[in-house]
Amino acid sequence: AMRRADPVKATERALPALVAETGRAALLCVWSNRGPTVVHLHRSNNTVFTNLGLGSVLPAARSSLGRILLAFLPESVTAETLAQEAQREKFDRAWLEREIVRARKTRLTYADKAINPGLYATASVVLGWNGEAVCAVALIGPDAALSRPDNPSALKLREMCTRLSHEAGARVLEDAA
């Protein structure tokens, strides 16, 4: 049964309902050999202008999708990409470690408009049977409130990812803080 389950496809199928409910565009991302890579974009009725599209590779440390994947993937998978990114751009490693700890507790990460001008994001993760990230989803929009932990859209996103994680066989997840 586990071999027949495809959490990425299940997540892709769940996006239209999430987008309709939140009014936000959604990005579906997986970890590739180059880092967090967009594999699906589901647009909302609210116009969002972005240069992100299928195949876009996001910064691992600075993007909400990158940090949520870093939090739930083994370091052996992410270390090389993160090291390459550190050579190209500066980021505070202590800050990144704090963000990863927070992501593991809340299963949510946030990004301000520094990554994509004019857009804010919140991301959550779909876990597989082994507790590792299978994929991640971000909601994006021009509203700064999207990057707050109590945002209703962020909570809906986490709820969807938790449900999909359960369906993929992930152990029972504790209620996030």
Side-chain angles (χ1 to χ4, degrees):
M2 295 309 288
R3 286 188 192 130
R4 290 185 301 220
D6 186 342
V8 177
K9 285 189 183 194
T11 304
E12 187 175 335
R13 286 191 301 270
L15 291 183
L18 179 68
V19 168
E21 188 173 3
T22 64
R24 314 275 185 188
L27 295 170
L28 173 60
C29 192
V30 298
W31 191 270
S32 74
N33 63 339
R34 294 177 56 215
T37 304
V38 176
V39 295
H40 185 76
L41 167 64
H42 194 88
R43 300 191 186 279
S44 69
N45 287 335
N46 301 318
T47 305
V48 173
F49 296 100
T50 178
N51 60 354
L52 294 175
L54 187 63
S56 294
V57 178
L58 301 167
R62 292 186 300 118
S63 70
S64 60
L65 284 161
R67 286 193 313 277
I68 199 73
L69 289 169
L70 287 171
F72 290 94
L73 285 171
E75 191 175 322
S76 60
V77 172
T78 62
E80 184 177 339
T81 298
L82 199 55
Q84 290 172 357
E85 186 171 302
Q87 290 176 349
R88 291 189 307 272
E89 57 186 78
K90 281 189 154 193
F91 58 85
D92 182 346
R93 289 246 182 212
W95 168 84
L96 180 58
E97 284 303 317
R98 288 190 305 274
E99 289 296 308
I100 288 172
V101 168
R102 184 182 333 197
R104 287 180 181 142
K105 284 184 188 174
T106 64
R107 294 189 320 278
L108 287 170
T109 54
Y110 310 93
D112 63 17
K113 58 187 179 179
I115 300 296
N116 214 345
L119 293 179
Y120 295 84
T122 186
S124 192
V125 64
V126 176
L127 302 173
W129 63 270
N130 59 359
E132 293 180 7
V134 175
C135 61
V137 177
L139 292 175
I140 59 173
D143 183 9
L146 187 57
S147 62
R148 287 201 290 264
D150 62 345
N151 182 276
S153 294
L155 299 177
K156 293 284 183 194
L157 169 64
R158 182 175 61 200
E159 181 182 299
M160 179 199 78
C161 289
T162 298
R163 178 180 51 81
L164 291 165
S165 295
H166 283 293
E167 291 173 7
R171 68 191 186 298
V172 176
L173 300 168
E174 295 177 17
D175 288 338

